[in-house]
């Protein structure tokens, strides 16, 4: 005798509310564990970025001095509110100043070429052992030599400018990817 094939009721498709809640809980735990690592990575990239920008701007000052056939200064200005900035300019010492919002103010005979602000809320802060350095137009040398500290919650980088205007980056506290000072 012939038996017709049996049909089974269709299995339910999709996911239940409980399965969805379990997956969301696992994802929330993983994101919560990874978030501090992303914050530290972001701050490291900001520190590396400011160091690379400063090194490039110091080379720009040297190049501009030779190309313009006049001395170019780099002035480092701490902001009382916790920020800092630096300004590339022609003219005398203190001929141009900047603030942490990036506004440059120049006196008679000085021209601002570039200003870089590091606002108080930004995680990188700049300090220099010299208020200003000057690149000589004839030789491309710098006077005085300088050591510029970049401070961040993830560590410090130091940029050392030698008499020839070359910049060397090192770390006094072991920031990975940089040689020790």
């Amino acid at each position: 005798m012939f038996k017709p094939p049996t049909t089974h009721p269709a299995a339910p498709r999709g996911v239940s509310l409980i399965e969805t809640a379990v997956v969301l809980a696992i994802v929330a735990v993983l994101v919560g564990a990874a978030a501090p690592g992303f914050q530290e990575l972001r701050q490291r990239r900001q520190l590396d970025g400011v160091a690379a920008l400063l090194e490039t701007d110091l080379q720009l000052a040297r190049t501009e001095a030779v190309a313009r056939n006049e001395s170019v200064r780099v002035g480092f200005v701490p902001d009382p509110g916790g920020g800092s900035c630096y300004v590339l300019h022609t003219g005398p010492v203190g001929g141009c100043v900047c603030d942490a919002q990036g506004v440059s103010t120049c006196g008679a005979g000085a021209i601002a070429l570039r200003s870089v602000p590091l606002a108080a809320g930004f995680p990188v802060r700049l300090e220099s052992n010299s208020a200003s350095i000057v690149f000589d137009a004839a030789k491309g040398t710098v006077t005085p030599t300088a050591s510029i500290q970049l401070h961040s919650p993830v560590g410090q980088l130091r940029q050392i400018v030698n008499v020839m205007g070359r910049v060397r980056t090192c770390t006094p506290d072991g920031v990975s990817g940089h040689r020790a000072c």
Side-chain angles (χ1 to χ4, degrees):
M1 168 170 226
F2 175 74
K3 281 185 157 183
T6 56
T7 58
H8 298 287
R13 292 195 170 138
V15 292
S16 71
L17 182 60
I18 293 174
E19 292 168 331
T20 304
V22 168
V23 169
L24 287 176
I26 291 171
V27 168
V29 168
L30 291 174
V31 167
F38 286 129
Q39 177 70 10
E40 184 178 319
L41 178 64
R42 186 171 147 249
Q43 289 174 341
R44 273 232 22 223
R45 292 296 160 236
Q46 288 172 327
L47 178 62
D48 289 339
V50 170
L53 179 64
L54 177 59
E55 184 174 348
T56 301
D57 285 341
L58 290 168
Q59 294 306 315
L60 173 66
R62 183 177 187 219
T63 302
E64 283 291 323
V66 173
R68 291 171 172 266
N69 198 29
E70 69 177 314
S71 296
V72 172
R73 293 187 178 278
V74 180
F76 304 100
V77 183
D79 184 33
S84 55
C85 69
Y86 63 90
V87 60
L88 283 64
H89 66 91
T90 62
V93 173
C96 291
V97 294
C98 59
D99 62 22
Q101 283 70 43
V103 178
S104 299
T105 307
C106 296
I111 300 170
L113 303 175
R114 179 164 167 73
S115 178
V116 176
L118 300 172
F122 192 68
V124 180
R125 193 171 38 84
L126 179 140
E127 290 178 2
S128 176
N129 66 345
S130 178
S132 171
I133 59 176
V134 62
F135 288 87
D136 181 79
K139 301 174 192 159
T141 58
V142 66
T143 306
T145 58
S147 177
I148 304 148
Q149 293 275 353
L150 299 172
H151 302 275
S152 171
V154 295
Q156 295 180 40
L157 290 180
R158 182 178 298 153
Q159 295 201 307
I160 301 165
V161 184
N162 71 15
V163 73
M164 295 305 296
R166 293 191 182 100
V167 181
R168 175 174 61 96
T169 303
C170 61
T171 178
D173 61 356
V175 173
S176 65
H178 298 280
R179 65 181 167 168
C181 291

